[in-house]
Amino acid sequence: MRILCFAIIALLFMSGACFAGAGQTLLIDDFENPVSAGPDGTVDFGSGGGSSLEVKAGLDIKYSGNQSLEAVYDAAAGGYMWIARGFELDSRNAGWLVKPDRIKWKKYAAISFYMYGNGSNSSIAFDIKDKGNELWRFMVTDDFKGWKKVVCPFKYFFCRGDWQPGSADKNSKLDFPLKSFQFEPKAVSKGTLYFDCVELTR
């Protein structure tokens, strides 16, 4: 029995599966559903100001499961883009694996995701939207190659000063529960990024 248990654990690690370890993490998104846009879509994404963006299922490069989230982008100076998953978005079917009000947020100190880096040194903004619709930002640099777990402690997020939704309460306080997260490659840069396994971590 002991040998069988060790064999199962080894297989999980070799397969790169997303799974919670002894209650230390909570998987909230694995991007395994079909990727689609629009009001009935599963990913809320778009671009403007001269930037362009294509979002699809990454079938060839994935950290676990059958696919990752693939973003082919060209971030122009003065432009913008977003790739969002969560609740109360324009795409109604972009929800996580677990609803925000079912999460015991006080148990977790950070949110993390896996990113496939290309060593481009480009900057990627990772935003979270809080209970009051205020956007908070954590900056990531693509200074590695291959899959890497990017851990974003809540205490290191800063309130966005460049833009906030009209519905944001603008109290400059990170209020839980969170509603959504989004990725935004920053200008000037272009390339392809892959994301997988978004988790809350203690």
Side-chain angles (χ1 to χ4, degrees), residues 50-67:
S51 294
S52 63
L53 173 67
E54 179 186 4
V55 177
K56 56 186 176 180
L59 301 177
D60 297 324
I61 297 177
K62 64 246 184 181
Y63 177 76
S64 71
N66 296 316
Q67 64 186 44

Side-chain angles (χ1 to χ4, degrees), residues 49-202:
S51 294
S52 63
L53 173 67
E54 179 186 4
V55 177
K56 56 186 176 180
L59 301 177
D60 297 324
I61 297 177
K62 64 246 184 181
Y63 177 76
S64 71
N66 296 316
Q67 64 186 44
S68 62
L69 189 68
E70 179 179 347
V72 182
Y73 71 95
D74 186 346
Y80 60 91
M81 64 182 68
W82 73 92
I83 309 160
R85 289 269 297 167
F87 298 86
E88 297 183 23
L89 298 171
D90 291 337
S91 297
R92 292 188 289 266
N93 295 312
W96 301 334
L97 298 173
V98 56
K99 292 184 178 181
D101 59 2
R102 298 291 183 90
I103 298 171
K104 296 180 179 178
W105 291 95
K106 290 183 179 180
K107 291 173 54 177
Y108 303 101
I111 185 169
S112 66
F113 57 89
Y114 283 85
M115 182 176 117
Y116 191 89
N118 297 306
S120 66
N121 286 317
S122 58
S123 297
I124 298 95
F126 179 62
D127 293 351
I128 52 178
K129 184 182 287 186
D130 74 4
K131 180 181 178 180
N133 293 325
E134 199 165 28
L135 286 172
W136 294 75
R137 174 158 287 182
F138 186 95
M139 295 302 301
V140 179
T141 302
D142 178 20
D143 58 359
F144 56 92
K145 293 186 177 181
W147 286 108
K148 178 182 178 180
K149 185 174 184 178
V150 180
V151 179
C152 315
F154 291 131
K155 65 181 180 180
Y156 293 136
F157 279 84
F158 59 91
C159 188
R160 280 186 60 174
D162 59 332
W163 182 84
Q164 288 287 344
S167 59
D169 59 16
K170 299 179 183 178
N171 67 358
S172 298
K173 179 184 175 184
L174 182 55
D175 296 312
F176 295 92
L178 302 183
K179 292 182 177 181
S180 62
F181 62 78
Q182 66 182 37
F183 302 98
E184 182 185 356
K186 303 302 292 181
V188 174
S189 63
K190 62 189 302 184
T192 303
L193 292 169
Y194 300 86
F195 303 101
D196 213 341
C197 294
V198 182
E199 300 171 314
L200 298 178
T201 189
R202 292 202 175 195

